[in-house]
Amino acid sequence: MAQFPAPTEGIAITHFIVSRDVERSRRFYVEVLGGEAVLEGELSIVALANGWITISVGGGPTDDKPTVTLEPPSDPGRASGFLNIRVADIRAIYEQWSARGAKFLTPPIDRGSEIRCYMRDPDGHLIEVGQLVGRVAD
């Protein structure tokens, strides 16, 4: 069973996404990508491999982020960040996740030192899936 991402020492990194439908997004990260729900509700957390995805609804500024409004992506053609998932066998993952309903932008493409492809979650968040196949040049 996955643990809640609250380290007793050091740090833990979670990827926070804003969703139009938290339940739908939670199901995607659990049922399609194979994660495990740690917390369900308006705030959901999914353990995914050695990290966590925190999913919540959007909202206006708060006292600790007074000029920031959280919202899902509004233009799928633009991104300022994305989730990057590294896998051991990209072709197997591509087939498995496609069969479970993942919508990839392209099949895996050999880029030399890595093979990679991209998909989107139900809210349009970009996700890179890649396999390192050679040493990255220094």
Side-chain angles (χ1 to χ4, degrees), residues 5 7 48 76 83 89 92-93 110 114 117-118 125 130:
L48 185 60
L83 179 62
D89 184 344
I93 288 293
D110 188 334
E114 72 174 334
C117 54
Y118 292 84
H125 294 280

Side-chain angles (χ1 to χ4, degrees), residues 114-137:
E114 72 174 334
I115 303 169
R116 71 175 184 238
C117 54
Y118 292 84
M119 66 176 162
R120 294 192 184 281
D121 78 358
D123 285 291
H125 294 280
L126 189 63
I127 301 170
E128 177 184 300
V129 181
Q131 176 186 344
L132 187 63
V133 292
R135 183 164 182 209
V136 177

Side-chain angles (χ1 to χ4, degrees), residues 64-91:
D64 56 346
K65 53 177 182 45
T67 61
V68 178
T69 297
L70 298 177
E71 60 185 30
S74 59
D75 181 354
R78 296 183 178 274
S80 63
F82 54 86
L83 179 62
N84 185 305
I85 300 174
R86 291 289 169 218
V87 300
D89 184 344
I90 194 167
R91 298 196 194 292

Side-chain angles (χ1 to χ4, degrees), residues 4-77:
F4 193 79
T8 56
E9 60 182 61
I11 66 171
I13 296 178
T14 69
H15 186 69
F16 185 98
I17 62 169
V18 179
S19 177
R20 290 175 189 84
D21 182 336
V22 173
E23 172 66 16
R24 178 189 66 191
S25 290
R26 185 193 55 74
R27 283 193 320 268
F28 171 82
Y29 286 96
V30 170
E31 296 171 7
V32 176
L33 301 191
E36 181 182 343
V38 176
L39 181 67
E40 296 180 27
E42 189 172 288
L43 175 70
S44 289
I45 298 176
V46 175
L48 185 60
N50 59 345
W52 294 270
I53 307 296
T54 301
I55 308 163
S56 186
V57 296
T62 58
D63 57 356
D64 56 346
K65 53 177 182 45
T67 61
V68 178
T69 297
L70 298 177
E71 60 185 30
S74 59
D75 181 354

